[in-house]
mmCIF file of all heavy atoms in Angstrom:
data_model
loop_
_atom_site.group_PDB
_atom_site.id
_atom_site.type_symbol
_atom_site.label_atom_id
_atom_site.label_comp_id
_atom_site.label_asym_id
_atom_site.label_seq_id
_atom_site.Cartn_x
_atom_site.Cartn_y
_atom_site.Cartn_z
ATOM 1 N N THR Q 1 -12.374 -6.002 -8.521
ATOM 2 C CA THR Q 1 -13.642 -5.274 -8.498
ATOM 3 C C THR Q 1 -13.962 -4.689 -7.126
ATOM 4 O O THR Q 1 -14.954 -3.982 -6.994
ATOM 5 C CB THR Q 1 -14.806 -6.180 -8.937
ATOM 6 O OG1 THR Q 1 -14.911 -7.281 -8.038
ATOM 7 C CG2 THR Q 1 -14.605 -6.671 -10.367
ATOM 8 N N TYR Q 2 -13.133 -4.987 -6.132
ATOM 9 C CA TYR Q 2 -13.366 -4.454 -4.796
ATOM 10 C C TYR Q 2 -12.622 -3.136 -4.620
ATOM 11 O O TYR Q 2 -11.447 -3.021 -4.995
ATOM 12 C CB TYR Q 2 -12.927 -5.462 -3.725
ATOM 13 C CG TYR Q 2 -13.853 -6.647 -3.646
ATOM 14 C CD1 TYR Q 2 -13.676 -7.748 -4.485
ATOM 15 C CD2 TYR Q 2 -14.918 -6.661 -2.753
ATOM 16 C CE1 TYR Q 2 -14.541 -8.831 -4.436
ATOM 17 C CE2 TYR Q 2 -15.789 -7.740 -2.699
ATOM 18 C CZ TYR Q 2 -15.589 -8.816 -3.534
ATOM 19 O OH TYR Q 2 -16.449 -9.877 -3.483
ATOM 20 N N GLU Q 3 -13.295 -2.125 -4.073
ATOM 21 C CA GLU Q 3 -12.723 -0.792 -3.927
ATOM 22 C C GLU Q 3 -11.403 -0.783 -3.174
ATOM 23 O O GLU Q 3 -10.502 -0.019 -3.500
ATOM 24 C CB GLU Q 3 -13.711 0.130 -3.204
ATOM 25 C CG GLU Q 3 -14.877 0.565 -4.057
ATOM 26 C CD GLU Q 3 -15.762 1.558 -3.324
ATOM 27 O OE1 GLU Q 3 -15.233 2.407 -2.566
ATOM 28 O OE2 GLU Q 3 -16.980 1.474 -3.508
ATOM 29 N N ASN Q 4 -11.277 -1.602 -2.150
ATOM 30 C CA ASN Q 4 -10.088 -1.577 -1.296
ATOM 31 C C ASN Q 4 -8.976 -2.511 -1.763
ATOM 32 O O ASN Q 4 -8.009 -2.698 -1.034
ATOM 33 C CB ASN Q 4 -10.476 -1.926 0.141
ATOM 34 C CG ASN Q 4 -11.384 -0.876 0.745
ATOM 35 O OD1 ASN Q 4 -11.320 0.289 0.384
ATOM 36 N ND2 ASN Q 4 -12.254 -1.286 1.648
ATOM 37 N N ALA Q 5 -9.076 -3.034 -2.959
ATOM 38 C CA ALA Q 5 -8.046 -3.947 -3.489
ATOM 39 C C ALA Q 5 -6.897 -3.128 -4.082
ATOM 40 O O ALA Q 5 -6.554 -3.249 -5.257
ATOM 41 C CB ALA Q 5 -8.657 -4.882 -4.512
ATOM 42 N N ASN Q 6 -6.284 -2.299 -3.251
ATOM 43 C CA ASN Q 6 -5.290 -1.332 -3.716
ATOM 44 C C ASN Q 6 -4.073 -1.977 -4.375
ATOM 45 O O ASN Q 6 -3.559 -1.453 -5.365
ATOM 46 C CB ASN Q 6 -4.855 -0.435 -2.560
ATOM 47 C CG ASN Q 6 -6.016 0.379 -2.029
ATOM 48 O OD1 ASN Q 6 -6.850 0.846 -2.787
ATOM 49 N ND2 ASN Q 6 -6.085 0.534 -0.718
ATOM 50 N N LYS Q 7 -3.587 -3.072 -3.834
ATOM 51 C CA LYS Q 7 -2.411 -3.730 -4.422
ATOM 52 C C LYS Q 7 -2.741 -4.278 -5.815
ATOM 53 O O LYS Q 7 -1.936 -4.149 -6.735
ATOM 54 C CB LYS Q 7 -1.905 -4.844 -3.516
ATOM 55 C CG LYS Q 7 -1.274 -4.341 -2.240
ATOM 56 C CD LYS Q 7 -0.780 -5.480 -1.382
ATOM 57 C CE LYS Q 7 -0.195 -4.950 -0.085
ATOM 58 N NZ LYS Q 7 0.253 -6.039 0.791
ATOM 59 N N ILE Q 8 -3.906 -4.869 -5.963
ATOM 60 C CA ILE Q 8 -4.320 -5.396 -7.271
ATOM 61 C C ILE Q 8 -4.549 -4.249 -8.250
ATOM 62 O O ILE Q 8 -4.170 -4.342 -9.423
ATOM 63 C CB ILE Q 8 -5.602 -6.252 -7.137
ATOM 64 C CG1 ILE Q 8 -5.325 -7.497 -6.317
ATOM 65 C CG2 ILE Q 8 -6.184 -6.611 -8.500
ATOM 66 C CD1 ILE Q 8 -4.337 -8.463 -6.933
ATOM 67 N N HIS Q 9 -5.135 -3.171 -7.794
ATOM 68 C CA HIS Q 9 -5.359 -2.015 -8.664
ATOM 69 C C HIS Q 9 -4.024 -1.455 -9.158
ATOM 70 O O HIS Q 9 -3.879 -1.140 -10.345
ATOM 71 C CB HIS Q 9 -6.146 -0.927 -7.935
ATOM 72 C CG HIS Q 9 -7.542 -1.321 -7.615
ATOM 73 N ND1 HIS Q 9 -8.371 -0.522 -6.859
ATOM 74 C CD2 HIS Q 9 -8.268 -2.414 -7.928
ATOM 75 C CE1 HIS Q 9 -9.550 -1.113 -6.720
ATOM 76 N NE2 HIS Q 9 -9.501 -2.273 -7.367
ATOM 77 N N ALA Q 10 -3.059 -1.326 -8.245
ATOM 78 C CA ALA Q 10 -1.737 -0.807 -8.628
ATOM 79 C C ALA Q 10 -1.067 -1.739 -9.633
ATOM 80 O O ALA Q 10 -0.457 -1.281 -10.610
ATOM 81 C CB ALA Q 10 -0.864 -0.624 -7.391
ATOM 82 N N LEU Q 11 -1.178 -3.023 -9.399
ATOM 83 C CA LEU Q 11 -0.599 -4.000 -10.318
ATOM 84 C C LEU Q 11 -1.276 -3.933 -11.684
ATOM 85 O O LEU Q 11 -0.607 -3.973 -12.725
ATOM 86 C CB LEU Q 11 -0.731 -5.410 -9.729
ATOM 87 C CG LEU Q 11 -0.047 -6.537 -10.458
ATOM 88 C CD1 LEU Q 11 1.457 -6.316 -10.522
ATOM 89 C CD2 LEU Q 11 -0.357 -7.853 -9.786
ATOM 90 N N ALA Q 12 -2.584 -3.793 -11.705
ATOM 91 C CA ALA Q 12 -3.327 -3.713 -12.968
ATOM 92 C C ALA Q 12 -2.927 -2.483 -13.775
ATOM 93 O O ALA Q 12 -2.929 -2.517 -15.006
ATOM 94 C CB ALA Q 12 -4.831 -3.683 -12.683
ATOM 95 N N LYS Q 13 -2.564 -1.413 -13.097
ATOM 96 C CA LYS Q 13 -2.103 -0.204 -13.783
ATOM 97 C C LYS Q 13 -0.669 -0.361 -14.286
ATOM 98 O O LYS Q 13 -0.325 0.127 -15.354
ATOM 99 C CB LYS Q 13 -2.149 0.993 -12.836
ATOM 100 C CG LYS Q 13 -3.503 1.543 -12.587
ATOM 101 C CD LYS Q 13 -3.404 2.740 -11.655
ATOM 102 C CE LYS Q 13 -4.771 3.262 -11.284
ATOM 103 N NZ LYS Q 13 -4.700 4.408 -10.371
ATOM 104 N N ALA Q 14 0.163 -1.038 -13.487
ATOM 105 C CA ALA Q 14 1.594 -1.095 -13.770
ATOM 106 C C ALA Q 14 1.973 -2.124 -14.832
ATOM 107 O O ALA Q 14 2.907 -1.903 -15.602
ATOM 108 C CB ALA Q 14 2.358 -1.389 -12.478
ATOM 109 N N LEU Q 15 1.264 -3.246 -14.877
ATOM 110 C CA LEU Q 15 1.617 -4.298 -15.834
ATOM 111 C C LEU Q 15 1.349 -3.850 -17.265
ATOM 112 O O LEU Q 15 0.340 -3.191 -17.530
ATOM 113 C CB LEU Q 15 0.798 -5.560 -15.565
ATOM 114 C CG LEU Q 15 1.198 -6.404 -14.378
ATOM 115 C CD1 LEU Q 15 0.174 -7.514 -14.155
ATOM 116 C CD2 LEU Q 15 2.578 -7.003 -14.590
ATOM 117 N N PRO Q 16 2.213 -4.234 -18.185
ATOM 118 C CA PRO Q 16 1.894 -3.962 -19.588
ATOM 119 C C PRO Q 16 0.672 -4.782 -19.994
ATOM 120 O O PRO Q 16 0.520 -5.928 -19.566
ATOM 121 C CB PRO Q 16 3.139 -4.403 -20.352
ATOM 122 C CG PRO Q 16 4.007 -5.100 -19.386
ATOM 123 C CD PRO Q 16 3.486 -4.895 -18.012
ATOM 124 N N LEU Q 17 -0.191 -4.194 -20.777
ATOM 125 C CA LEU Q 17 -1.432 -4.873 -21.157
ATOM 126 C C LEU Q 17 -1.162 -6.183 -21.883
ATOM 127 O O LEU Q 17 -1.935 -7.132 -21.749
ATOM 128 C CB LEU Q 17 -2.312 -3.956 -22.004
ATOM 129 C CG LEU Q 17 -3.715 -4.470 -22.308
ATOM 130 C CD1 LEU Q 17 -4.482 -4.793 -21.030
ATOM 131 C CD2 LEU Q 17 -4.475 -3.464 -23.152
ATOM 132 N N ASN Q 18 -0.052 -6.274 -22.591
ATOM 133 C CA ASN Q 18 0.234 -7.514 -23.328
ATOM 134 C C ASN Q 18 0.636 -8.665 -22.410
ATOM 135 O O ASN Q 18 0.871 -9.774 -22.877
ATOM 136 C CB ASN Q 18 1.267 -7.289 -24.428
ATOM 137 C CG ASN Q 18 2.638 -6.949 -23.892
ATOM 138 O OD1 ASN Q 18 2.851 -6.830 -22.688
ATOM 139 N ND2 ASN Q 18 3.567 -6.770 -24.809
ATOM 140 N N SER Q 19 0.671 -8.436 -21.107
ATOM 141 C CA SER Q 19 0.963 -9.518 -20.166
ATOM 142 C C SER Q 19 -0.235 -9.863 -19.280
ATOM 143 O O SER Q 19 -0.100 -10.570 -18.291
ATOM 144 C CB SER Q 19 2.167 -9.150 -19.296
ATOM 145 O OG SER Q 19 1.864 -8.062 -18.465
ATOM 146 N N ILE Q 20 -1.416 -9.378 -19.651
ATOM 147 C CA ILE Q 20 -2.623 -9.595 -18.846
ATOM 148 C C ILE Q 20 -3.634 -10.449 -19.613
ATOM 149 O O ILE Q 20 -3.870 -10.225 -20.796
ATOM 150 C CB ILE Q 20 -3.282 -8.252 -18.471
ATOM 151 C CG1 ILE Q 20 -2.343 -7.418 -17.597
ATOM 152 C CG2 ILE Q 20 -4.622 -8.474 -17.764
ATOM 153 C CD1 ILE Q 20 -2.858 -6.019 -17.292
ATOM 154 N N VAL Q 21 -4.202 -11.426 -18.931
ATOM 155 C CA VAL Q 21 -5.374 -12.150 -19.432
ATOM 156 C C VAL Q 21 -6.478 -11.952 -18.397
ATOM 157 O O VAL Q 21 -6.208 -11.742 -17.222
ATOM 158 C CB VAL Q 21 -5.117 -13.659 -19.684
ATOM 159 C CG1 VAL Q 21 -4.092 -13.860 -20.774
ATOM 160 C CG2 VAL Q 21 -4.695 -14.366 -18.427
ATOM 161 N N LEU Q 22 -7.706 -12.013 -18.832
ATOM 162 C CA LEU Q 22 -8.835 -11.832 -17.921
ATOM 163 C C LEU Q 22 -9.297 -13.172 -17.391
ATOM 164 O O LEU Q 22 -9.349 -14.157 -18.122
ATOM 165 C CB LEU Q 22 -9.997 -11.139 -18.643
ATOM 166 C CG LEU Q 22 -9.723 -9.750 -19.196
ATOM 167 C CD1 LEU Q 22 -10.992 -9.184 -19.830
ATOM 168 C CD2 LEU Q 22 -9.206 -8.811 -18.121
ATOM 169 N N GLU Q 23 -9.625 -13.210 -16.100
ATOM 170 C CA GLU Q 23 -10.180 -14.402 -15.481
ATOM 171 C C GLU Q 23 -11.002 -13.969 -14.286
ATOM 172 O O GLU Q 23 -10.933 -12.827 -13.876
ATOM 173 C CB GLU Q 23 -9.072 -15.393 -15.112
ATOM 174 C CG GLU Q 23 -7.988 -14.832 -14.230
ATOM 175 C CD GLU Q 23 -8.249 -15.019 -12.760
ATOM 176 O OE1 GLU Q 23 -9.109 -15.856 -12.412
ATOM 177 O OE2 GLU Q 23 -7.621 -14.345 -11.965
ATOM 178 N N THR Q 24 -11.767 -14.904 -13.737
ATOM 179 C CA THR Q 24 -12.702 -14.545 -12.668
ATOM 180 C C THR Q 24 -12.418 -15.184 -11.317
ATOM 181 O O THR Q 24 -13.162 -14.943 -10.381
ATOM 182 C CB THR Q 24 -14.141 -14.940 -13.049
ATOM 183 O OG1 THR Q 24 -14.190 -16.357 -13.203
ATOM 184 C CG2 THR Q 24 -14.612 -14.238 -14.292
ATOM 185 N N ASP Q 25 -11.379 -15.991 -11.189
ATOM 186 C CA ASP Q 25 -11.138 -16.750 -9.948
ATOM 187 C C ASP Q 25 -12.311 -17.663 -9.608
ATOM 188 O O ASP Q 25 -12.534 -18.004 -8.464
ATOM 189 C CB ASP Q 25 -10.847 -15.840 -8.750
ATOM 190 C CG ASP Q 25 -9.433 -15.316 -8.739
ATOM 191 O OD1 ASP Q 25 -8.563 -15.972 -9.329
ATOM 192 O OD2 ASP Q 25 -9.190 -14.263 -8.140
ATOM 193 N N ALA Q 26 -13.104 -18.024 -10.613
ATOM 194 C CA ALA Q 26 -14.264 -18.886 -10.380
ATOM 195 C C ALA Q 26 -13.792 -20.265 -9.942
ATOM 196 O O ALA Q 26 -12.825 -20.761 -10.474
ATOM 197 C CB ALA Q 26 -15.117 -18.996 -11.643
ATOM 198 N N PRO Q 27 -14.431 -20.861 -8.999
ATOM 199 C CA PRO Q 27 -15.649 -20.434 -8.295
ATOM 200 C C PRO Q 27 -15.379 -19.726 -6.975
ATOM 201 O O PRO Q 27 -16.316 -19.456 -6.238
ATOM 202 C CB PRO Q 27 -16.351 -21.761 -8.038
ATOM 203 C CG PRO Q 27 -15.236 -22.704 -7.760
ATOM 204 C CD PRO Q 27 -14.100 -22.253 -8.682
ATOM 205 N N ASP Q 28 -14.130 -19.401 -6.658
ATOM 206 C CA ASP Q 28 -13.808 -18.919 -5.320
ATOM 207 C C ASP Q 28 -14.119 -17.450 -5.043
ATOM 208 O O ASP Q 28 -15.027 -17.141 -4.292
ATOM 209 C CB ASP Q 28 -12.337 -19.197 -5.003
ATOM 210 C CG ASP Q 28 -12.034 -20.680 -4.997
ATOM 211 O OD1 ASP Q 28 -12.881 -21.454 -4.534
ATOM 212 O OD2 ASP Q 28 -10.960 -21.062 -5.475
ATOM 213 N N MET Q 29 -13.365 -16.533 -5.608
ATOM 214 C CA MET Q 29 -13.515 -15.123 -5.262
ATOM 215 C C MET Q 29 -14.444 -14.425 -6.253
ATOM 216 O O MET Q 29 -14.071 -14.128 -7.375
ATOM 217 C CB MET Q 29 -12.160 -14.430 -5.230
ATOM 218 C CG MET Q 29 -12.249 -12.993 -4.793
ATOM 219 S SD MET Q 29 -10.647 -12.210 -4.729
ATOM 220 C CE MET Q 29 -10.214 -12.567 -3.053
ATOM 221 N N VAL Q 30 -15.634 -14.173 -5.817
ATOM 222 C CA VAL Q 30 -16.660 -13.579 -6.666
ATOM 223 C C VAL Q 30 -16.410 -12.073 -6.835
ATOM 224 O O VAL Q 30 -15.782 -11.442 -5.986
ATOM 225 C CB VAL Q 30 -18.065 -13.842 -6.069
ATOM 226 C CG1 VAL Q 30 -18.313 -13.022 -4.834
ATOM 227 C CG2 VAL Q 30 -19.140 -13.617 -7.101
ATOM 228 N N VAL Q 31 -16.895 -11.525 -7.934
ATOM 229 C CA VAL Q 31 -16.790 -10.081 -8.159
ATOM 230 C C VAL Q 31 -17.647 -9.351 -7.122
ATOM 231 O O VAL Q 31 -18.604 -9.903 -6.588
ATOM 232 C CB VAL Q 31 -17.201 -9.701 -9.597
ATOM 233 C CG1 VAL Q 31 -16.241 -10.284 -10.613
ATOM 234 C CG2 VAL Q 31 -18.612 -10.112 -9.910
ATOM 235 N N ALA Q 32 -17.291 -8.105 -6.853
ATOM 236 C CA ALA Q 32 -17.937 -7.338 -5.781
ATOM 237 C C ALA Q 32 -19.455 -7.260 -5.932
ATOM 238 O O ALA Q 32 -20.188 -7.346 -4.951
ATOM 239 C CB ALA Q 32 -17.342 -5.938 -5.711
ATOM 240 N N SER Q 33 -19.928 -7.113 -7.151
ATOM 241 C CA SER Q 33 -21.372 -6.950 -7.365
ATOM 242 C C SER Q 33 -22.179 -8.220 -7.103
ATOM 243 O O SER Q 33 -23.402 -8.172 -7.049
ATOM 244 C CB SER Q 33 -21.641 -6.459 -8.782
ATOM 245 O OG SER Q 33 -21.161 -7.383 -9.727
ATOM 246 N N HIS Q 34 -21.509 -9.348 -6.917
ATOM 247 C CA HIS Q 34 -22.201 -10.616 -6.647
ATOM 248 C C HIS Q 34 -21.706 -11.255 -5.343
ATOM 249 O O HIS Q 34 -21.768 -12.477 -5.183
ATOM 250 C CB HIS Q 34 -22.019 -11.583 -7.820
ATOM 251 C CG HIS Q 34 -22.719 -11.127 -9.062
ATOM 252 N ND1 HIS Q 34 -24.047 -11.378 -9.295
ATOM 253 C CD2 HIS Q 34 -22.286 -10.397 -10.117
ATOM 254 C CE1 HIS Q 34 -24.399 -10.841 -10.448
ATOM 255 N NE2 HIS Q 34 -23.349 -10.233 -10.965
ATOM 256 N N LYS Q 35 -21.227 -10.421 -4.442
ATOM 257 C CA LYS Q 35 -20.707 -10.903 -3.160
ATOM 258 C C LYS Q 35 -21.737 -11.794 -2.480
ATOM 259 O O LYS Q 35 -22.926 -11.487 -2.450
ATOM 260 C CB LYS Q 35 -20.354 -9.718 -2.271
ATOM 261 C CG LYS Q 35 -19.573 -10.111 -1.052
ATOM 262 C CD LYS Q 35 -19.097 -8.893 -0.310
ATOM 263 C CE LYS Q 35 -18.271 -9.338 0.886
ATOM 264 N NZ LYS Q 35 -17.704 -8.205 1.594
ATOM 265 N N GLY Q 36 -21.261 -12.919 -1.950
ATOM 266 C CA GLY Q 36 -22.139 -13.859 -1.270
ATOM 267 C C GLY Q 36 -22.706 -14.925 -2.183
ATOM 268 O O GLY Q 36 -23.373 -15.842 -1.723
ATOM 269 N N GLN Q 37 -22.448 -14.802 -3.492
ATOM 270 C CA GLN Q 37 -22.923 -15.783 -4.465
ATOM 271 C C GLN Q 37 -21.734 -16.602 -4.972
ATOM 272 O O GLN Q 37 -20.581 -16.258 -4.747
ATOM 273 C CB GLN Q 37 -23.592 -15.076 -5.638
ATOM 274 C CG GLN Q 37 -24.789 -14.238 -5.260
ATOM 275 C CD GLN Q 37 -25.323 -13.451 -6.454
ATOM 276 O OE1 GLN Q 37 -25.059 -13.765 -7.604
ATOM 277 N NE2 GLN Q 37 -26.069 -12.399 -6.163
ATOM 278 N N ARG Q 38 -22.032 -17.646 -5.687
ATOM 279 C CA ARG Q 38 -20.992 -18.447 -6.319
ATOM 280 C C ARG Q 38 -20.480 -17.672 -7.536
ATOM 281 O O ARG Q 38 -21.243 -17.083 -8.290
ATOM 282 C CB ARG Q 38 -21.565 -19.798 -6.755
ATOM 283 C CG ARG Q 38 -20.543 -20.708 -7.387
ATOM 284 C CD ARG Q 38 -21.187 -22.053 -7.720
ATOM 285 N NE ARG Q 38 -20.319 -22.864 -8.524
ATOM 286 C CZ ARG Q 38 -19.417 -23.715 -8.047
ATOM 287 N NH1 ARG Q 38 -19.297 -23.867 -6.746
ATOM 288 N NH2 ARG Q 38 -18.653 -24.412 -8.852
ATOM 289 N N ASN Q 39 -19.178 -17.686 -7.722
ATOM 290 C CA ASN Q 39 -18.586 -16.993 -8.856
ATOM 291 C C ASN Q 39 -18.809 -17.764 -10.140
ATOM 292 O O ASN Q 39 -19.073 -18.968 -10.120
ATOM 293 C CB ASN Q 39 -17.096 -16.784 -8.626
ATOM 294 C CG ASN Q 39 -16.536 -15.671 -9.468
ATOM 295 O OD1 ASN Q 39 -17.244 -15.015 -10.201
ATOM 296 N ND2 ASN Q 39 -15.247 -15.448 -9.348
ATOM 297 N N SER Q 40 -18.717 -17.087 -11.255
ATOM 298 C CA SER Q 40 -18.964 -17.704 -12.547
ATOM 299 C C SER Q 40 -18.181 -16.969 -13.624
ATOM 300 O O SER Q 40 -18.031 -15.738 -13.547
ATOM 301 C CB SER Q 40 -20.459 -17.637 -12.866
ATOM 302 O OG SER Q 40 -20.700 -18.011 -14.206
ATOM 303 N N PRO Q 41 -17.718 -17.670 -14.651
ATOM 304 C CA PRO Q 41 -17.073 -17.001 -15.781
ATOM 305 C C PRO Q 41 -17.989 -15.999 -16.487
ATOM 306 O O PRO Q 41 -17.507 -15.113 -17.187
ATOM 307 C CB PRO Q 41 -16.701 -18.155 -16.715
ATOM 308 C CG PRO Q 41 -16.565 -19.333 -15.819
ATOM 309 C CD PRO Q 41 -17.624 -19.130 -14.760
ATOM 310 N N GLU Q 42 -19.286 -16.100 -16.278
ATOM 311 C CA GLU Q 42 -20.199 -15.142 -16.912
ATOM 312 C C GLU Q 42 -19.988 -13.727 -16.388
ATOM 313 O O GLU Q 42 -20.477 -12.757 -16.977
ATOM 314 C CB GLU Q 42 -21.660 -15.558 -16.736
ATOM 315 C CG GLU Q 42 -22.193 -15.394 -15.333
ATOM 316 C CD GLU Q 42 -23.616 -15.913 -15.177
ATOM 317 O OE1 GLU Q 42 -24.555 -15.132 -15.405
ATOM 318 O OE2 GLU Q 42 -23.755 -17.094 -14.835
ATOM 319 N N TYR Q 43 -19.239 -13.572 -15.300
ATOM 320 C CA TYR Q 43 -18.956 -12.259 -14.746
ATOM 321 C C TYR Q 43 -17.704 -11.628 -15.362
ATOM 322 O O TYR Q 43 -17.281 -10.554 -14.950
ATOM 323 C CB TYR Q 43 -18.800 -12.322 -13.221
ATOM 324 C CG TYR Q 43 -20.007 -12.884 -12.509
ATOM 325 C CD1 TYR Q 43 -19.873 -13.676 -11.387
ATOM 326 C CD2 TYR Q 43 -21.291 -12.628 -12.971
ATOM 327 C CE1 TYR Q 43 -20.972 -14.190 -10.727
ATOM 328 C CE2 TYR Q 43 -22.406 -13.143 -12.318
ATOM 329 C CZ TYR Q 43 -22.240 -13.927 -11.200
ATOM 330 O OH TYR Q 43 -23.331 -14.439 -10.552
#
């Protein structure tokens, strides 16, 4: 979710969708819109 996460963005484009699951890195790396807060699966 971070604009400058170029390597992750490239990987997200390149991987076949059938090899991707969604996760939030909770509680460590929060999504950009909640920076400074505790991460949660609700994101």
Side-chain angles (χ1 to χ4, degrees):
T1 61
Y2 289 86
E3 286 184 37
N4 295 331
N6 297 322
K7 290 180 182 178
I8 294 296
H9 293 174
L11 187 61
K13 284 181 185 179
L15 284 173
L17 188 56
N18 67 358
S19 66
I20 297 174
V21 296
L22 299 182
E23 55 91 17
T24 62
D25 281 335
D28 297 322
M29 184 179 270
V30 72
V31 295
S33 60
H34 292 276
K35 191 172 182 176
Q37 300 174 19
R38 182 177 170 89
N39 201 2
S40 170
E42 72 184 271
Y43 302 144

